[in-house]
Amino acid sequence: MSEQSNWKEFSKGLFKYNALFVLVLGICPSLAVTTSLKNGISMGGAATFVLISSNFIVSIIRPYVPREIRIPCFIVVIAAFVTIVELMMKAYLPTELNASLGIFIPLIVVNCIILYRAESFAYKNKPFVSILDGAGIGLGWTLSLCLVSGIREVLGAGTLFGLKLSKHYEPASVMIMAPGAFIVLGLLMGFFNWRKLQKKEKSMMVYKKDD
Amino acid sequence: MIKEIALIIVSLVFVNNFVLAKFLGLCPFLGVSQKTSSAFGMGAAVTFVMTLASAITWILYNYILLPGDMNIVGMVFPSVGETGLIEVLKTISYILIIATLVQLLEMMLRKMVPALYDSLGVYLPLITTNCAVLGVALLNTTDSPQHLGFIEATVQGFGGGIGFTVAILLMSGIRERLVLINIPKPLQGLPIAFICTGLMALAFFGFSGMVK
């Protein structure tokens, strides 16, 4: 396989098939843990690790897995890697970070993104390409988590990465609570839709001119 | 006892609603809330699975995973009784139990109540990947601040399911009306649904502090 198509498999996950804003998958953790940038990055990292490893294993075992029982097999593979991640995070990361991610680390098992990539990509493709796909989709999801959590932390706590931005800004704490999460994600999705519509309109105009 | 049970249910429906305050089960909440009838079916199925799952995972947690004298595996292998299986087997065993439960429920409903089975349709197998079900199992056992009893755990599952049903019914009512409204084009579909959910969560905030 050429270098160019490898790059394509990786980069499609970043924007074209962005898990959060285009595919709209994995919403629960994207809203629950994005109260600060640090939480967003850790959650994205954990899910990306699980995604890459499960894609790799699924694409290796795919000749031996019958179609009828593939979903339970995928879930067991994913659950094994989630357990690894959970134990590693408990051992090496600070306790307050673990406490704020809470049950959403074990809940990576039921994150639709991972099962979706296993089913629709890794089950049909070779190991190397599957790793690239997992890395791309995972990185795209992490980037969108950073965007949501950055906005929420700046507006809701007046800080970024724990550093205070301005002493004149009175934080609107509703943004780091449940309603803020829904509204920020809704407006961001609306913004990306607006950009897409604008681009489409522009290309239509060019097309008309050519006529 | 009845007072405590009522308190748990009220708190899970209004104050700590699984969808609106804890962000659990958002995928079916947004995916199946277009029509009130299917929303109600989904809510009923999730409530049933959540109640059963929290009962069974409580038994599994207390008699197989937790270290101590109650551990059944520990009676055969004493080393397991000392350390317990909680760290390594928690996630895998819970998800397998939930998947089996959903499969069993599907077979039972098809045999015994075909009408309900038909109306639930494709939503039934989807409950396996509903994070509210795994979430309530984890919140009842490993991530609970204090050790819950069997009845408390089961009621927590039931209350969480009722809370999910209330939220998805309200949402489907809103979305049935959203179809008729002139919404700016970029916000149509999911974005406006998210914003509505945010406003609903804001409204439910008014209940906070009512029950601890």
Side-chain angles (χ1 to χ4, degrees), chain A residues 3 6 28 75-76 112 129 162 182 206:
Chain A
E3 222 166 83
N6 280 344
C28 307
I75 288 184
V76 171
C112 330
V129 200
F182 288 113
V206 172

Side-chain angles (χ1 to χ4, degrees), chain A residues 193-207, chain B residues 185:
Chain A
N193 278 351
W194 176 67
R195 286 290 306 272
K196 212 190 277 167
L197 284 175
Q198 245 186 356
K199 229 183 240 171
K200 212 188 219 169
E201 229 163 64
K202 225 179 224 170
S203 67
M204 293 273 275
M205 294 235 303
V206 172
Y207 186 71
Chain B
K185 216 172 180 188

Side-chain angles (χ1 to χ4, degrees), chain A:
Chain A
M1 202 168 265
S2 70
E3 222 166 83
Q4 206 170 13
S5 67
N6 280 344
W7 168 247
K8 221 171 150 190
E9 293 297 347
F10 174 74
S11 66
K12 71 172 192 289
L14 297 182
F15 300 107
K16 200 178 164 203
Y17 289 102
N18 186 294
L20 184 55
F21 292 115
V22 181
L23 304 174
V24 200
L25 292 171
I27 316 166
C28 307
S30 322
L31 291 175
V33 301
T34 51
T35 47
S36 71
L37 196 54
K38 212 159 97 192
N39 288 355
I41 291 176
S42 338
M43 182 71 206
T48 307
F49 170 75
V50 176
L51 186 55
I52 294 175
S53 332
S54 80
N55 259 8
F56 177 61
I57 297 292
V58 164
S59 65
I60 285 179
I61 61 169
R62 89 199 137 103
Y64 315 107
V65 177
R67 256 199 101 69
E68 293 78 27
I69 56 157
R70 66 189 190 285
I71 301 285
C73 295
F74 296 164
I75 288 184
V76 171
V77 169
I78 295 168
F81 282 110
V82 170
T83 310
I84 293 172
V85 165
E86 203 189 346
L87 292 177
M88 295 274 276
M89 287 183 88
K90 264 194 194 140
Y92 294 112
L93 289 181
T95 20
E96 71 263 17
L97 191 64
N98 273 316
S100 60
L101 293 179
I103 62 165
F104 284 92
I105 292 299
L107 280 182
I108 296 177
V109 179
V110 286
N111 192 323
C112 330
I113 301 172
I114 294 163
L115 200 59
Y116 171 68
R117 286 333 280 180
E119 158 81 18
S120 71
F121 196 90
Y123 194 58
K124 297 176 189 136
N125 285 290
K126 290 201 175 73
F128 181 65
V129 200
S130 301
I131 291 179
L132 285 180
D133 173 79
I137 296 271
L139 201 64
W141 194 59
T142 312
L143 282 179
S144 35
L145 280 192
C146 290
L147 185 63
V148 177
S149 57
I151 291 176
R152 283 182 71 192
E153 197 185 343
V154 167
L155 291 178
T159 59
L160 196 62
F161 250 122
L163 297 170
K164 199 148 178 56
L165 291 179
S166 157
K167 58 181 177 188
H168 302 296
Y169 178 67
E170 192 67 43
S173 55
V174 71
M175 295 314 273
I176 52 170
M177 285 190 271
F182 288 113
I183 294 172
V184 166
L185 189 58
L187 289 178
L188 273 175
M189 259 178 191
F191 173 73
F192 286 118
N193 278 351
W194 176 67
R195 286 290 306 272
K196 212 190 277 167
L197 284 175
Q198 245 186 356
K199 229 183 240 171
K200 212 188 219 169
E201 229 163 64
K202 225 179 224 170
S203 67
M204 293 273 275
M205 294 235 303
V206 172
Y207 186 71
K208 263 180 198 161
K209 237 180 237 167
D210 284 352
D211 248 16

